[in-house]
Amino acid sequence: MKQKIITAFLAACLLALTSCNQGKSGTAEKDAPADSTEQVATETGNSLPPRKDIYELKEVKEGWNALSIPVENASGDIDVLQLAKAFNHAWPTAIGNTLTLKSEGKSVPQSNGYPDLKVKTDKAGGYIEALGSKTGDAEDMMVSVVDRENGHKLFMACLAWPIANVDQFVCAYDFDPATAKLTPEDSPATHFKGLLKKPYLNYVLPQGSKEFIIEEDASLVLRHVYRFDGNQFRLAGIRIGEQDRLIQLFNEEKAEDGGDRLTKWALIDIDQDGVYEVWMRADNDKNGAFFAFGDFDGPQLLISETSRFRPTLAPGRVTVGGPAGGPSYYTNTITLKDSQREHELTCMQVYEDCEYSLDGKDITTEEGKAFQATISKKIYEPKVEWHKLMP
């Protein structure tokens, strides 16, 4: 009987000790376990998935920012491959295995990698990429490192599985050589708010440069350019896709006033179909043009404005009009459908008489007035946000 009591007492002590240790795990430092199979708890109480030999990208996306990563053998000038290996050791994935092993010239096992995938390594530029989306049968991964002024490094890993329609995501870390740890931090992608409606996002990590780019891709492409200030990437401006082509189209239809170099742009949904058009202007606001992006052959210049021919907007159409000399008044109206130019109506009015042209062909006054009756007359003042053109 006495032996049973002692045994029960020892069992109760062991249970209490186990419970105590479990309670401490919620405040433990959030370092990646070297080879543990236990579940890791973070400082905030959130739990990570059990340690695995290989993770799905969704698991990495949901858990990466809760885990600091030790970097083994962190002596000398740490390069991008060493940091990529540390990241992949904490979060091993098929694409991560492929990137790190092939960068070292090693073979990749079929069971947890992509043996046939090409890997581009640029250690001098602090960049490595493995793009399975180009072949259509694997994930994507890019890694990049930039030196900070304080002796630390900023390491970023971008992962995606385009086949499964998983959005790209960026993991960002500060590497401190004093502690030999990668500590999660925010990147420009963390709180990014774009301008387009339901775009596909694409991230371009720096490769021997000081620029990190977030691309919004819908019918129109916007490139948000972030430049490194020695510590962080900060927004420098936004480039419009095919920007040079837009300027070329405008210059081919050269405005007549001076100071007509386009310097700014704004988004505007003329036909209100959820797809934006672009309005570009000079600093003097006297010259500009409207562009549409619904045509797969490239952007279209819809209509240009000058100091004499000023724009007015109504749902589904844009008109420029003004005095054309003497008693004449000229208007040019473009209607849009599905974000493409649909019709062009011009009218030269002299006193009460009007000469009409529709899509480049002369039409009668009756036909011109009949077409005008189909055009919206609900003129509105657009509220737009102007952005400076980036060179």
Side-chain angles (χ1 to χ4, degrees), residues 213-233:
I213 298 172
I214 301 179
E215 293 182 343
E216 291 186 89
D217 191 347
S219 60
L220 166 68
V221 177
L222 297 180
R223 295 183 175 92
H224 301 251
V225 180
Y226 296 81
R227 290 191 177 136
F228 196 63
D229 65 1
N231 183 51
Q232 298 286 348
F233 283 99

Side-chain angles (χ1 to χ4, degrees), residues 211 224-227 234-238 390:
E211 286 191 350
H224 301 251
V225 180
Y226 296 81
R227 290 191 177 136
R234 301 189 184 280
L235 183 64
I238 306 172
M390 289 196 72

Side-chain angles (χ1 to χ4, degrees), residues 75-276:
S75 60
D77 190 15
I78 299 297
D79 62 26
V80 64
L81 178 56
Q82 289 172 282
L83 297 180
K85 288 173 63 179
F87 175 79
N88 190 61
H89 181 73
W91 295 104
T93 59
I95 191 67
N97 291 340
T98 303
L99 183 141
T100 54
L101 290 172
K102 286 211 167 187
S103 292
E104 295 181 293
K106 297 179 181 179
S107 60
V108 178
Q110 186 74 49
S111 59
N112 57 4
Y114 304 104
D116 299 327
L117 189 61
K118 292 182 179 180
V119 173
K120 173 184 174 182
T121 303
D122 179 8
K123 283 190 178 182
Y127 180 83
I128 308 173
E129 70 177 23
L131 303 181
S133 58
K134 289 186 175 182
T135 60
D137 58 0
E139 302 157 328
D140 284 349
M141 184 173 184
M142 293 149 281
V143 294
S144 176
V145 65
V146 180
D147 292 333
R148 284 178 154 158
E149 290 179 345
N150 62 357
H152 291 207
K153 294 180 185 293
L154 173 61
F155 173 75
M156 291 186 290
C158 177
L159 298 101
W161 193 0
I163 299 171
N165 199 29
V166 174
D167 290 337
Q168 286 187 323
F169 62 98
V170 175
C171 312
Y173 297 86
D174 174 73
F175 174 71
D176 183 352
T179 61
K181 282 184 181 179
L182 287 166
T183 303
E185 63 174 58
D186 287 349
S187 76
T190 306
H191 305 292
F192 176 75
K193 292 183 179 179
L195 301 178
L196 301 181
K197 299 173 183 178
K198 298 180 180 179
Y200 172 77
L201 295 183
N202 182 52
Y203 301 105
V204 182
L205 302 189
Q207 180 182 351
S209 72
K210 300 296 183 181
E211 286 191 350
F212 171 61
I213 298 172
I214 301 179
E215 293 182 343
E216 291 186 89
D217 191 347
S219 60
L220 166 68
V221 177
L222 297 180
R223 295 183 175 92
H224 301 251
V225 180
Y226 296 81
R227 290 191 177 136
F228 196 63
D229 65 1
N231 183 51
Q232 298 286 348
F233 283 99
R234 301 189 184 280
L235 183 64
I238 306 172
R239 290 194 188 107
I240 307 172
E242 302 187 81
Q243 180 172 293
D244 292 342
R245 177 59 179 157
L246 302 185
I247 295 172
Q248 179 187 356
L249 290 172
F250 173 75
N251 289 337
E252 289 173 355
E253 199 174 296
K254 196 74 173 177
E256 61 187 52
D257 291 336
D260 55 4
R261 186 173 66 88
L262 300 177
T263 58
K264 58 186 179 180
W265 61 273
L267 298 178
I268 183 170
D269 189 359
I270 297 173
D271 53 347
Q272 301 181 352
D273 64 348
V275 177
Y276 283 117

